[in-house]
Amino acid sequence: MSNASGPMIIPLCVIGCGPTGIAALFEAKRQGIQAIGIEARPSALGTFVEHPEGLVYLSHPSHFEIAGVPLDCHHPKECTREDVLHYYARIINWGRLDIRSSTRCVGIAPQEDGVLLTLSGSDGPAIIRAQQVLITSWYARRPVRQDRKKGAVPRVITSFRNPVELLGERVVVIGGGLSGCELATSLMMSGASIVLAMRGLPKPFHSTIQFAKLLRNTRSVIEADLSALRICDGYVEAERNGRHVALECSVVVAASGAAIDQETCDLLEEAQILGASAVTALANAPTFEDGVRIQPAMAPGERLAWVAANRPDLWEYLFDGVNGVRFAGAVLHGGGPHAGVLVSIASARLAVQAIAGKPAPAWARPLASALTDIRKILAAVGSASDIDLLRAIRPVRVASWSRTWRPPHVGHSNGAHNDLGHLGPRSLSALEARVLSLVNDDRTVQDIVECEAQTGNREEDVHEALRGLFHHHVLTWLPPRHALAPGPQ
């Protein structure tokens, strides 16, 4: 990434290519700003790729959406790993986004004319110069202490895609949070007998009837209230009430939550982007989940305000930049690594819009407090041109696909019209049925709107009908045949 005359100059470098980073890159393309994305994992959305197949996210599908482009789901009330990956793959291809995977930023050096970045990738080290840097990746898996020889049993992993990968293994899942519960459930649903080890006491979701049945039917156990957890040769060691606990295993699934990424903080502290006190404040900043645990007696509104007031104010890092470096994503708001993807995506768009010259919104500080008002956030980040993205996509009927090109599944036309008469528990509206009949895989949303305008239907009503079809797995969509056209919005 360098040449004889010196490092190449990039107007914007986005570090981290999860949903927040992809939103930043897509917004940059729309604003006519050349940008590249740097992703340490083997692919964009690496964290989501690592999640178990079929995992259902707590966030509503619309929370993952960029600029109102609909996320179509296989089930109207569930947004899965596969839905999210399918959505962002289309966004990346639509924008022809430049993402360099398996590449880590190992050095940040602000200079008068930009920021010098040292990268380490599969092709070796490289240096680039960026006029602006936007950091969107902030959290890493919380490590578990290990006292064992490198490569010795047990093997330590942080996730798996399918339980079949661990067949025949003796598994200990470490983590008392939702991730640990989900991974344990996935293994038990395959018939595996596992141990779920946690530092605290079981939470309500560990006491559900379904989870209790899985434990009993697979002869799995919960080992709770553990301390001094560490991974040794052949087992996990811990203490409970002063007594030694040893859990034999061949695989450890380390799912004990996330913490602020120390490597990122070290880079920023070395570059004098953040001081030592600011790094400490970020590491100790409470999340909304922490608020429930620390302040259980507070009313929800008071707890929200308490969390925001106890987080550092990172306003300048979002809207102004410090020595050419800006922040977006989970570090800015009280959701932290646990929640708030909608806010993280909005913050990425706001950062890029600020780079393009749009003034900061007239919000009261601190930033963490302002970012608790979802309506204000969406109003600030929205653009009149966002609707053009929806108009440009091509609705496509959902159909089964296989190597033998089997016919579409029941309810969808196969040559002749034989459309679904219902959406989950409800029937198709007259407008939904008419809109569905207009879908031919070539027409864009705008084409359908123009057809319906002749019958007197408003554009807003057609959009709403299409969203219903997208969210109930009747329609999916393809991006326009041509790449997203860059330019000021």
Side-chain angles (χ1 to χ4, degrees):
M1 295 186 189
S2 59
N3 52 47
S5 60
M8 65 183 291
I9 300 175
I10 300 293
L12 175 62
C13 180
V14 177
I15 298 177
C17 294
T20 309
I22 292 171
L25 292 168
F26 195 75
E27 185 70 26
K29 178 61 72 72
R30 297 184 68 204
Q31 298 289 344
I33 300 172
Q34 183 188 0
I36 65 171
I38 303 300
E39 174 54 53
R41 289 181 171 86
S43 72
L45 278 297
T47 300
F48 289 77
V49 170
E50 293 172 1
H51 288 163
E53 296 168 355
L55 180 66
V56 177
Y57 297 115
L58 294 177
S59 298
H60 188 272
S62 63
H63 291 190
F64 290 99
E65 293 177 354
I66 297 175
V69 178
L71 193 160
D72 45 307
C73 296
H74 282 69
H75 190 281
K77 293 184 179 180
E78 295 181 351
C79 180
T80 67
R81 164 191 180 271
E82 288 69 30
D83 295 328
V84 170
L85 292 175
H86 183 214
Y87 177 78
Y88 282 103
R90 287 172 287 168
I91 291 290
I92 291 169
N93 284 322
W94 184 0
R96 304 293 194 270
L97 305 184
D98 187 351
I99 296 174
R100 318 290 173 89
S101 57
S102 298
T103 303
R104 303 184 69 85
C105 177
V106 295
I108 301 176
Q111 299 184 338
E112 290 185 3
D113 56 350
V115 183
L116 207 63
L117 298 174
T118 303
L119 308 178
S120 176
S122 55
D123 296 330
I127 294 177
I128 64 171
R129 188 186 303 277
Q131 294 172 344
Q132 297 275 334
V133 174
L134 179 62
I135 300 176
T136 69
S137 179
W138 287 101
Y139 291 89
R141 295 274 188 181
R142 184 175 281 110
V144 180
R145 180 185 170 191
Q146 299 190 37
D147 277 350
R148 66 188 186 108
K149 296 178 181 178
K150 189 175 181 180
V153 173
R155 178 163 56 99
V156 181
I157 60 176
T158 56
S159 187
F160 51 83
R161 297 187 194 179
N162 192 293
V164 74
E165 299 170 27
L166 302 181
L167 289 180
E169 304 279 9
R170 293 173 300 164
V171 181
V172 170
V173 178
I174 298 178
L178 191 58
S179 294
C181 181
E182 288 168 337
L183 292 168
T185 298
S186 180
L187 288 165
M188 291 190 292
M189 287 291 288
S190 71
S193 178
I194 59 98
V195 175
L196 177 57
M198 62 185 71
R199 292 178 175 84
L201 296 174
K203 295 180 173 62
F205 48 75
H206 295 120
S207 302
T208 62
I209 294 174
Q210 296 90 336
F211 196 77
K213 283 183 177 179
L214 279 175
L215 287 170
R216 183 173 64 252
N217 291 333
T218 61
R219 294 180 296 172
S220 298
V221 295
I222 293 177
E223 293 283 356
D225 200 21
L226 300 176
S227 61
L229 274 159
R230 62 175 181 166
I231 301 170
C232 303
D233 286 340
Y235 62 96
V236 172
E237 184 179 72
E239 295 179 8
R240 180 170 51 222
N241 299 325
R243 300 184 64 180
H244 179 262
V245 177
L247 308 172
E248 292 187 5
C249 57
S250 58
V251 172
V252 170
V253 182
S256 50
I260 197 81
D261 184 24
Q262 193 58 49
E263 287 186 18
T264 300
C265 289
D266 289 344
L267 288 176
L268 293 172
E269 190 174 349
E270 184 178 347
Q272 298 184 347
I273 303 298
L274 284 174
S277 60
V279 169
T280 300
L282 283 180
N284 296 328
T287 64
F288 298 138
E289 189 174 277
D290 295 327
V292 173
R293 176 175 52 83
I294 298 170
Q295 302 287 358
M298 278 187 176
E302 292 177 326
R303 192 183 300 125
L304 208 68
W306 178 86
V307 170
N310 283 277
R311 296 186 64 86
D313 185 11
L314 300 175
W315 181 282
E316 287 86 358
Y317 292 92
L318 173 61
F319 293 114
D320 305 319
V322 176
N323 295 331
V325 178
R326 297 172 186 259
F327 299 169
V331 75
L332 302 179
H333 58 79
H338 313 302
V341 65
L342 181 152
V343 180
S344 291
I345 288 172
S347 72
R349 295 188 64 200
L350 287 169
V352 175
Q353 290 170 6
I355 292 171
K358 183 178 179 179
W363 293 341
R365 298 177 63 167
L367 179 62
S369 294
L371 293 180
T372 61
D373 192 327
I374 301 299
R375 289 185 179 181
K376 282 186 178 180
I377 295 168
L378 295 179
V381 76
S383 166
S385 65
D386 286 354
I387 193 67
D388 294 335
L389 297 175
L390 176 60
R391 290 168 175 161
I393 62 176
R394 292 175 290 153
V396 177
R397 293 169 182 271
V398 172
S400 297
W401 179 92
S402 77
R403 64 182 67 183
T404 56
W405 289 91
R406 294 177 59 192
H409 59 67
V410 175
H412 295 282
S413 60
N414 181 23
H417 287 297
N418 180 29
D419 296 323
L420 264 180
H422 59 85
L423 296 180
R426 67 177 178 83
S427 299
L428 280 172
S429 69
L431 180 55
E432 286 170 337
R434 196 159 48 250
V435 165
L436 186 59
S437 71
L438 292 171
V439 173
N440 66 1
D441 301 353
D442 287 320
R443 289 192 178 107
T444 66
V445 168
Q446 181 63 25
D447 294 333
I448 294 172
V449 165
E450 290 173 357
C451 289
E452 280 301 302
Q454 298 175 14
T455 62
N457 285 314
R458 300 184 310 159
E459 180 176 11
E460 295 84 353
D461 294 333
V462 175
H463 291 170
E464 189 63 27
L466 282 166
R467 284 191 176 276
L469 296 170
F470 285 132
H471 290 161
H472 286 77
H473 198 49
V474 178
L475 291 179
T476 182
W477 59 266
L478 290 174
R481 289 186 174 86
H482 302 290
L484 181 69
Q489 302 298 309

